[in-house]
Amino acid sequence: MFFSTHILNGETLYEREAQSWEEFEYHLRRLRKRQQAFAELSVTQRSELLSAFADRLEANRGRLAVMICEEVGRCLRECKAEMNKSVELVRYYARKAPELLAHKTIETQASLSQVRFEPLGVVFAVMPWNYPVWQVLRFAIPALCAGNACMVKPAPSVGRVTEALFEIIGSSLPMEVAWLDHAEVRRAVACTDALAFTGSADTGRRLAAQAGLYLKKNVMELGGSNAFIVMSDADLAQAAKDACYSRFRDAGQSCNAAKRIIVTESVAEEFISLFLAECAKLKTGDPMDPETTLAPLHRRDLRERIHSQVIDALVNGATVLQGGQIPECTEQGWFYPATVLDHVNHNCRVYHEEVFGPVAVIMRALGEEHAIALANDNPYGLGASIYSQNHEKAWEYASKLQTGAVYINRHTSSDLHLPFGGVKDSGYGRELSEFGIYEFVNVKSYWQK
């Protein structure tokens, strides 16, 4: 069942039954035929179709942003930012694809030898709810550039915006929605040609195992518990401002947010004071209200989970500096206050687990080397930030971090021009940039005597 409700008033926004397996197979057969025709187009022709889609997406970005806000619950300006970035993504690949996918002639003993990038076929994707447009397009657009088709299983709670997105995509691009129950995902992996997944590490393990069983190429974009490291020589005011923004944007429901704030002991008290002052500026309320800076969580069970993590931390020696209580008022929406935990230690669940909500975890480091050790002492390895005015030392420390990305004097984010992905429990494979376009291609060698 695909069922979504308004984040505040509980009104049903969308409802549909899952499709049968026979219906899925029918759409998959049709999609394979479309993919074959699409792959025969030149890269330039495919790019033109993508450019036209970017125009349609831009024309509808305001409407989709409102739908995301109502269905997911993020602040409207954050939803608008998602849409703007999504349009930019499509145009980036439409512009770069002819260059990135051009045949590469390589000198060998042959009279002519080349490497060409050819499609794998149909890429099956299992997508999350938190960025229902961006996450879909982030994997799909580079896959389409290469001549693949995309079959997308959305999260059950974002069916309305998914249907609206695919209406805008239309028939010019080989993309279909897989309205499948979770129980049918394994069969879908078996009968498609590759797998893209964005979501939790636990689900990623199961899907990666299924893909491995059928020898399907796959990319796993999993969770994150990004370290935000504040060295003793950091610009503390800027670090505090950035840490607050990164931790609490999107109500903390982003894999790439700052989640573990690791501050060297010599500046801890000053930094924490500045950080709490920034957190005090946050305003909880209706995500459609432009004054709101802290939106509700997407679902009740998500709020219950993060609250259980907070309670566990307090039982195991952490202290709460702000928040930490489920609101008692009858205000609609699954709100949770901006919460700051100090003196978090190894016994606390939040030390090891991803916290997918507005809870900042503060850990105190004895010095710079200890800060790096604390950052690496975690199952996840998506991204990290280092704040220091000594750039040379910052780059040295950055090389020691076990992550897919390091940002120096900036909070973690994603850039279209740079690869996005992680290591350890944050998964494998890369999206975005030139590296993202090569994940779902057959890198094929040609040799002519």
Side-chain angles (χ1 to χ4, degrees), residues 106-114 446-449:
I106 298 174
E107 185 176 348
T108 66
Q109 293 178 338
S111 62
L112 176 63
S113 49
Q114 286 186 335
Y446 287 81
W447 197 99
Q448 175 182 306
K449 184 174 180 180

mmCIF file of all heavy atoms in Angstrom, residues 106-114 446-449:
data_model
loop_
_atom_site.group_PDB
_atom_site.id
_atom_site.type_symbol
_atom_site.label_atom_id
_atom_site.label_comp_id
_atom_site.label_asym_id
_atom_site.label_seq_id
_atom_site.Cartn_x
_atom_site.Cartn_y
_atom_site.Cartn_z
ATOM 1 N N ILE A 106 42.659 4.586 -27.311
ATOM 2 C CA ILE A 106 43.842 4.289 -26.502
ATOM 3 C C ILE A 106 44.881 3.615 -27.398
ATOM 4 O O ILE A 106 44.565 2.675 -28.139
ATOM 5 C CB ILE A 106 43.472 3.384 -25.309
ATOM 6 C CG1 ILE A 106 42.472 4.124 -24.402
ATOM 7 C CG2 ILE A 106 44.707 2.982 -24.514
ATOM 8 C CD1 ILE A 106 41.932 3.292 -23.277
ATOM 9 N N GLU A 107 46.081 4.079 -27.322
ATOM 10 C CA GLU A 107 47.156 3.542 -28.166
ATOM 11 C C GLU A 107 47.600 2.175 -27.655
ATOM 12 O O GLU A 107 47.977 2.009 -26.499
ATOM 13 C CB GLU A 107 48.334 4.511 -28.189
ATOM 14 C CG GLU A 107 49.435 4.084 -29.144
ATOM 15 C CD GLU A 107 50.562 5.095 -29.233
ATOM 16 O OE1 GLU A 107 50.382 6.230 -28.732
ATOM 17 O OE2 GLU A 107 51.615 4.743 -29.793
ATOM 18 N N THR A 108 47.496 1.167 -28.539
ATOM 19 C CA THR A 108 47.978 -0.185 -28.249
ATOM 20 C C THR A 108 48.659 -0.705 -29.518
ATOM 21 O O THR A 108 48.924 0.047 -30.456
ATOM 22 C CB THR A 108 46.802 -1.122 -27.877
ATOM 23 O OG1 THR A 108 45.967 -1.288 -29.032
ATOM 24 C CG2 THR A 108 45.994 -0.575 -26.723
ATOM 25 N N GLN A 109 48.893 -2.019 -29.594
ATOM 26 C CA GLN A 109 49.455 -2.621 -30.801
ATOM 27 C C GLN A 109 48.415 -2.738 -31.918
ATOM 28 O O GLN A 109 48.764 -3.063 -33.051
ATOM 29 C CB GLN A 109 50.025 -4.005 -30.480
ATOM 30 C CG GLN A 109 51.238 -3.950 -29.554
ATOM 31 C CD GLN A 109 51.758 -5.337 -29.218
ATOM 32 O OE1 GLN A 109 51.028 -6.320 -29.312
ATOM 33 N NE2 GLN A 109 53.024 -5.410 -28.842
ATOM 34 N N ALA A 110 47.160 -2.461 -31.588
ATOM 35 C CA ALA A 110 46.105 -2.537 -32.596
ATOM 36 C C ALA A 110 46.169 -1.336 -33.532
ATOM 37 O O ALA A 110 46.752 -0.291 -33.201
ATOM 38 C CB ALA A 110 44.746 -2.584 -31.919
ATOM 39 N N SER A 111 45.529 -1.475 -34.691
ATOM 40 C CA SER A 111 45.427 -0.320 -35.583
ATOM 41 C C SER A 111 44.435 0.688 -35.012
ATOM 42 O O SER A 111 44.530 1.888 -35.260
ATOM 43 C CB SER A 111 44.983 -0.760 -36.980
ATOM 44 O OG SER A 111 43.691 -1.350 -36.927
ATOM 45 N N LEU A 112 43.449 0.176 -34.239
ATOM 46 C CA LEU A 112 42.509 1.040 -33.545
ATOM 47 C C LEU A 112 42.012 0.313 -32.306
ATOM 48 O O LEU A 112 41.541 -0.827 -32.388
ATOM 49 C CB LEU A 112 41.313 1.380 -34.447
ATOM 50 C CG LEU A 112 40.200 2.211 -33.794
ATOM 51 C CD1 LEU A 112 40.711 3.582 -33.365
ATOM 52 C CD2 LEU A 112 39.008 2.362 -34.742
ATOM 53 N N SER A 113 42.131 0.942 -31.170
ATOM 54 C CA SER A 113 41.600 0.363 -29.932
ATOM 55 C C SER A 113 40.910 1.469 -29.145
ATOM 56 O O SER A 113 41.408 2.593 -29.071
ATOM 57 C CB SER A 113 42.690 -0.302 -29.091
ATOM 58 O OG SER A 113 43.815 0.541 -28.931
ATOM 59 N N GLN A 114 39.758 1.118 -28.596
ATOM 60 C CA GLN A 114 38.944 2.101 -27.896
ATOM 61 C C GLN A 114 38.309 1.495 -26.646
ATOM 62 O O GLN A 114 38.158 0.283 -26.522
ATOM 63 C CB GLN A 114 37.813 2.616 -28.797
ATOM 64 C CG GLN A 114 38.243 3.561 -29.888
ATOM 65 C CD GLN A 114 37.040 4.129 -30.632
ATOM 66 O OE1 GLN A 114 35.973 3.529 -30.678
ATOM 67 N NE2 GLN A 114 37.221 5.312 -31.223
ATOM 68 N N TYR A 446 37.385 -2.286 -27.198
ATOM 69 C CA TYR A 446 37.376 -2.652 -28.622
ATOM 70 C C TYR A 446 38.821 -2.694 -29.126
ATOM 71 O O TYR A 446 39.622 -1.802 -28.809
ATOM 72 C CB TYR A 446 36.580 -1.637 -29.441
ATOM 73 C CG TYR A 446 35.078 -1.710 -29.245
ATOM 74 C CD1 TYR A 446 34.466 -1.118 -28.141
ATOM 75 C CD2 TYR A 446 34.266 -2.358 -30.182
ATOM 76 C CE1 TYR A 446 33.088 -1.177 -27.984
ATOM 77 C CE2 TYR A 446 32.900 -2.421 -30.024
ATOM 78 C CZ TYR A 446 32.319 -1.826 -28.922
ATOM 79 O OH TYR A 446 30.940 -1.886 -28.754
ATOM 80 N N TRP A 447 39.128 -3.712 -29.935
ATOM 81 C CA TRP A 447 40.484 -3.884 -30.455
ATOM 82 C C TRP A 447 40.382 -4.316 -31.928
ATOM 83 O O TRP A 447 39.688 -5.286 -32.243
ATOM 84 C CB TRP A 447 41.206 -4.946 -29.655
ATOM 85 C CG TRP A 447 42.708 -5.004 -29.754
ATOM 86 C CD1 TRP A 447 43.614 -4.482 -28.874
ATOM 87 C CD2 TRP A 447 43.481 -5.668 -30.762
ATOM 88 N NE1 TRP A 447 44.888 -4.758 -29.272
ATOM 89 C CE2 TRP A 447 44.845 -5.484 -30.443
ATOM 90 C CE3 TRP A 447 43.167 -6.384 -31.920
ATOM 91 C CZ2 TRP A 447 45.880 -5.989 -31.210
ATOM 92 C CZ3 TRP A 447 44.209 -6.897 -32.697
ATOM 93 C CH2 TRP A 447 45.535 -6.696 -32.350
ATOM 94 N N GLN A 448 41.028 -3.573 -32.808
ATOM 95 C CA GLN A 448 41.011 -3.887 -34.243
ATOM 96 C C GLN A 448 42.434 -4.116 -34.733
ATOM 97 O O GLN A 448 43.321 -3.306 -34.487
ATOM 98 C CB GLN A 448 40.402 -2.710 -35.027
ATOM 99 C CG GLN A 448 40.456 -2.879 -36.528
ATOM 100 C CD GLN A 448 39.890 -1.656 -37.258
ATOM 101 O OE1 GLN A 448 38.762 -1.250 -36.984
ATOM 102 N NE2 GLN A 448 40.690 -1.079 -38.143
ATOM 103 N N LYS A 449 42.632 -5.251 -35.397
ATOM 104 C CA LYS A 449 43.980 -5.609 -35.870
ATOM 105 C C LYS A 449 44.436 -4.637 -36.958
ATOM 106 O O LYS A 449 43.655 -4.244 -37.821
ATOM 107 C CB LYS A 449 43.962 -7.045 -36.429
ATOM 108 C CG LYS A 449 45.339 -7.535 -36.865
ATOM 109 C CD LYS A 449 45.278 -8.982 -37.249
ATOM 110 C CE LYS A 449 46.667 -9.494 -37.697
ATOM 111 N NZ LYS A 449 46.625 -10.916 -38.071
#
